[in-house]
Amino acid sequence: MLFMKKIIVSVVAALFAFMLEAQSVEYQKSVFVDGNHSLPYRYLEPENFFKTKKYPVVIFLHGSGERGVDNEKQLIHGAQQFLNPVNREKFPSYVFFPQAPMDGFWSLPEVDSICQSMFCNSTTPTWQINALTAFIDSITNLPSVDKNRIYIMGISMGAMALYELAWRNPSTFAAAVPICGAADTLNITRAKNVYWRIYHGDADNLVPVQMSRNVYKKLTDSGADVQYFEFPGCTHGSWNPAFNDRDLLPWLFSKKRRK
């Protein structure tokens, strides 16, 4: 039995490595430099690109487990859905996966502060948030980008950064998809004109589901267009059922920035 378990683990590890390698071929590598700081990132260009067209953009922010400088791990979660041939044909777009450094937490100075009631991001932004803002600005200024269709997605730590980027730059994003995240509810209503689709597992053992419930209520009370999906019995990996939501990408790419 132990031998069989080792074989299964080895097969899963090999399959995972193969998938990551396949994604690495499709997603091109680059580095964004912002002053003294830099962010490695991977990007996917629209299939059958036409110079005369303008394309939407998806920014995807990873969780704490994918931090580093390898410019690889940030593709572990979420990258595959944009490589799906059907999705690439139906939703031609730019997709960007920046990577946070090992000693950084996007919008939080330290990971222990994730579930405190008062969020650090209500005052001074981290350098990573400033770098992400500059990075997104540089993307939106590309001539082939549709500025009215800039979307942002994030899981866990990345969802927390998503919330902060949205309220600090409310006129940038058309739609936002935070998964198992948390936010500074004091400021989140600044982004009430963004279209929201929030996901969380009700058995999350790392980021309490109440965090997303609080954000949903705050946005709803402010008159925002917000949808909330809660997965019964799901722990922290609620991105798995979220990515299996067949309506997610059609919903996302249907949204345009409200002016």
Side-chain angles (χ1 to χ4, degrees):
M1 183 64 70
L2 181 59
F3 178 70
M4 287 299 296
K5 286 182 178 179
K6 287 182 178 179
I7 291 177
I8 292 171
V9 170
S10 298
V11 170
V12 170
L15 180 61
F16 176 78
F18 174 79
M19 291 177 60
L20 191 57
E21 183 177 354
Q23 290 172 176
S24 295
V25 172
E26 296 287 343
Y27 282 88
Q28 300 180 58
K29 285 186 176 183
S30 193
V31 177
F32 177 75
V33 178
D34 181 44
N36 295 325
H37 301 290
S38 61
L39 289 176
Y41 70 92
R42 305 297 292 268
Y43 67 99
L44 188 67
E45 294 183 331
E47 198 167 41
N48 301 319
F49 175 81
F50 293 97
K51 288 184 178 180
T52 55
K53 289 188 65 175
K54 291 186 180 293
Y55 295 91
V57 169
V58 179
I59 310 293
F60 192 102
L61 302 178
H62 64 78
S64 61
E66 294 78 63
R67 293 171 297 155
V69 293
D70 62 353
N71 213 357
E72 295 280 352
K73 286 189 293 186
Q74 74 267 39
L75 296 178
I76 290 175
H77 302 297
Q80 188 61 38
Q81 63 183 327
F82 299 105
L83 287 179
N84 180 297
V86 175
N87 290 339
R88 292 204 73 181
E89 183 177 352
K90 289 180 65 176
F91 311 114
S93 59
Y94 289 101
V95 184
F96 293 87
F97 278 74
Q99 186 177 36
M102 279 301 298
D103 60 351
F105 300 97
W106 289 135
S107 63
L108 300 163
E110 57 183 32
V111 74
D112 289 344
S113 62
I114 282 179
C115 294
Q116 290 179 359
S117 58
M118 294 300 291
F119 265 70
C120 323
N121 59 15
S122 60
T123 53
T124 305
T126 63
W127 74 258
Q128 293 101 322
I129 287 293
N130 287 332
L132 282 171
T133 301
F135 175 60
I136 294 169
D137 286 344
S138 71
I139 293 168
T140 57
N141 288 325
L142 294 174
S144 55
V145 163
D146 184 348
K147 293 185 177 182
N148 292 316
R149 299 176 70 199
I150 308 297
Y151 310 124
I152 187 166
M153 300 176 68
I155 61 173
S156 191
M157 180 186 80
M160 297 169 197
L162 176 161
Y163 281 123
E164 182 173 358
L165 287 166
W167 70 253
R168 288 192 186 276
N169 310 278
S171 63
T172 297
F173 305 105
V177 182
I179 303 172
C180 59
D184 168 14
T185 55
L186 177 67
N187 289 298
I188 195 61
T189 54
R190 295 185 190 179
K192 65 181 181 180
N193 286 333
V194 175
Y195 291 97
W196 292 91
R197 197 174 179 100
I198 303 171
Y199 295 91
H200 215 124
D202 72 354
D204 196 317
N205 54 332
L206 292 180
V207 181
V209 66
Q210 191 61 44
M211 295 289 187
S212 285
R213 292 171 181 170
N214 292 344
V215 175
Y216 172 67
K217 184 179 187 309
K218 194 79 172 182
L219 284 170
T220 300
D221 291 347
S222 72
D225 188 318
V226 53
Q227 299 180 13
Y228 177 57
F229 299 87
E230 194 169 292
F231 302 115
C234 183
T235 55
H236 191 54
S238 51
W239 50 82
N240 291 315
F243 295 156
N244 285 325
D245 180 355
R246 293 185 178 181
D247 189 48
L248 173 55
L249 292 187
W251 175 90
L252 183 69
F253 286 103
S254 73
K255 302 305 178 187
K256 292 186 177 181
R257 179 168 58 104
R258 290 191 279 191
K259 301 175 182 179

